[in-house]
Structures are given as structure tokens and as C-alpha cells.
Amino acid sequence: MPAPFLTPISGRGRPDYSMSIQRSVSPTSILQSQIGLTVTATLPSLVYPFVYPFIVGIKYPSGEIPAGYPIIGYNVTVTGDTNADSVAGVQIYEDTDYYTDVIGTLFDTVFIKYAPKVAELHASRGFNIEKYAGKYLVVLFAHYSANPMTTMTLSVHGLIDIALSEQSLFKQTVGGGVNF
Amino acid sequence: MSDFIELEYTIIDEKGKPKKVTKKIKKSDLDVEMTVNGKKIKRRLNIIKLETPSEKPNKKAKTTKK
């Protein structure tokens, strides 16, 4: 019996195993990648309006990820171990130096939340950070308590949700340098 | 060089007038050991003054001509 004629199956999506068609479906590939940052430290109490900035940066070369694809940060939480006034915020800065930790000029405020006498802030509203390509995302946090030192935990969650065509996928453009 | 960072802020005193007050923080207290994504790092924290977004002027209410 002669060996059956086999067509190599390549590409993405649902394979079509019929002999004459290599690929009948070429769907859009959806990639989801979660990003996360958790910082725990014992910090001195501050006074309003002073805060600790933490650069978590969106430093990918603009143009590498096509415009219009959402990169979403959806959760910033600041938790303290005492019942203190806390603040959590996300601001976008220009001219910031990631390596020397020098904060530049304020470009935009995504949100700032205060929690008077509550030790937990929970910002569940997602925000699209795609429009801030090339700039720096700075997470602000602080506690204003009577205790001189308080242990705080800062957590930032995000989701890179990029829908790319198959061609773009091969260029390995996904996840380019969202540095957390 | 001072071992302290001075944070100047304004409070409202008993007479209702703004009063400038200074809080001192030891620089050494800002050298903290942080756990970042499970890894321990030592880092000197920055302190910045929070800039709140300027309020946009209210738009005039649209009136419809009858």
C-alpha cells in the first residue's frame, strides 16, 4: 500500500486535517500576559502632600507595539499594617531616569486615592496605559500615621492584552519592554 | 551635610490661619530593605511632593433656544 500523501500542517489556529487544504482558518491570535509588582517595606510616616514614588515604568520603544492595542493596568493596592491614612496613586512622568531614580516632570495623573483611617486602598478601575508609550508610570504611595515606621505592601497588577495578526506575531513584538 | 530631610507643609492653626510647619525625617530611615516580587533589595526611597491635577474650569451649561 503506498504511503498516504501528507501535507505538513503549519500556522496557527484550528488545524484543518483535510489533504488539500493546509489551513482553513487564520484567526487573530490573542495574547494575554499579566504583569505584577509587589513591594513590601517598612517606611517612615510622611505628612501630606508628600509621597514615595516608585517607578514601574512603561519603557518600550514607541512604535514597537502597534497603536490602539490596550495595555491595561487594572489594580493598584496599598496596604498598611496600621490603621493609618494612606494614599495610592498612578501618575505619568516625562524625563524620568529609571536608573538613577530621578523623577521628571508630571505629564498626567491616572488616579489618586486617599483612604482616611483605612489601611487598604483598592483601585479596581482599569486604565489604559498604551497612550503613555515612552513615558514613565510612577506609583505613589505613603502612609500618614502616628507610628513613625509602618510596614506597607504595594501591589500593582496589569494585563497586556494584545491582539495581533499572525504576521505581526512572528516579529516577536509582544511584551517589548514593559519593565516591572 | 544634614542627616535629615525637611518636609515643609502648611497647616491651619487655631486662629484659622495657614501656618508653615516642618517635619524632619532621618535620611537613614529612607534606606529600606524592600521585598520586590519576592526578592530582597536595598534602596533609598525618594520623597516627592504630590502634584494634584489642576481643576478644569466648569463648562457653561448648554441652553436650548425655544
Side-chain angles (χ1 to χ4, degrees):
Chain A
M1 190 176 169
F5 174 74
L6 292 176
T7 304
I9 298 166
S10 63
R12 288 177 170 270
R14 180 174 62 83
D16 190 323
Y17 291 100
S18 64
M19 291 295 182
S20 58
I21 303 171
Q22 286 187 21
R23 188 174 57 218
S24 65
V25 187
S26 179
T28 304
S29 300
I30 296 174
L31 301 182
Q32 288 192 339
S33 172
Q34 280 201 323
I35 48 179
L37 168 80
T38 306
V39 178
T40 303
T42 303
L43 308 169
S45 173
L46 292 181
V47 285
Y48 180 83
F50 295 94
V51 289
Y52 298 112
F54 199 92
I55 306 170
V56 292
I58 332 159
K59 188 74 175 98
Y60 55 81
S62 51
E64 193 165 306
I65 295 177
Y69 293 106
I71 302 172
I72 297 168
Y74 62 86
N75 200 349
V76 177
T77 308
V78 171
T79 313
D81 64 353
T82 57
N83 192 19
D85 287 0
S86 310
V87 61
V90 175
Q91 289 186 325
I92 310 295
Y93 282 81
E94 290 180 302
D95 310 322
T96 295
D97 194 330
Y98 185 80
Y99 298 101
T100 58
D101 215 14
V102 175
I103 308 293
T105 51
L106 179 66
F107 180 75
D108 197 5
T109 297
V110 180
F111 66 78
I112 293 176
K113 276 200 168 184
Y114 302 91
K117 302 299 177 193
V118 179
E120 186 171 348
L121 298 174
H122 187 79
S124 58
R125 180 175 66 87
F127 52 94
N128 190 340
I129 58 177
E130 184 272 331
K131 62 181 177 177
Y132 302 122
K135 298 187 172 49
Y136 286 88
L137 185 144
V138 177
V139 179
L140 311 168
F141 60 110
H143 68 95
Y144 310 122
S145 86
N147 291 2
M149 304 289 277
T150 297
T151 301
M152 298 184 77
T153 299
L154 159 77
S155 61
V156 181
H157 300 278
L159 184 71
I160 307 172
D161 187 352
I162 304 171
L164 293 175
S165 69
E166 191 176 331
Q167 262 192 331
S168 304
L169 199 67
F170 286 128
K171 290 179 186 170
Q172 295 294 316
T173 56
V174 177
V178 180
N179 296 320
F180 276 81
Chain B
M1 200 172 172
S2 173
D3 293 333
F4 291 91
I5 291 175
E6 292 187 352
L7 307 178
E8 195 179 86
Y9 61 105
T10 308
I11 59 167
I12 305 295
D13 66 5
E14 294 167 351
K15 294 174 184 174
K17 291 181 179 177
K19 183 184 173 184
K20 285 192 175 176
V21 186
T22 305
K23 179 186 169 95
K24 286 185 178 179
I25 290 187
K26 268 187 184 178
K27 282 184 181 174
S28 58
D29 283 347
L30 296 174
D31 291 326
V32 293
E33 190 174 79
M34 293 181 145
T35 308
V36 179
N37 287 353
K39 291 177 185 175
K40 285 192 175 179
I41 59 164
K42 284 187 177 177
R43 179 172 173 164
R44 169 163 282 191
L45 284 170
N46 266 343
I47 297 175
I48 62 168
K49 203 170 187 176
L50 185 64
E51 288 183 59
T52 47
S54 58
E55 289 182 6
K56 290 177 184 174
N58 290 331
K59 286 181 182 175
K60 287 181 181 176
K62 286 182 181 176
T63 52
T64 51
K65 289 179 182 177
K66 289 182 180 177

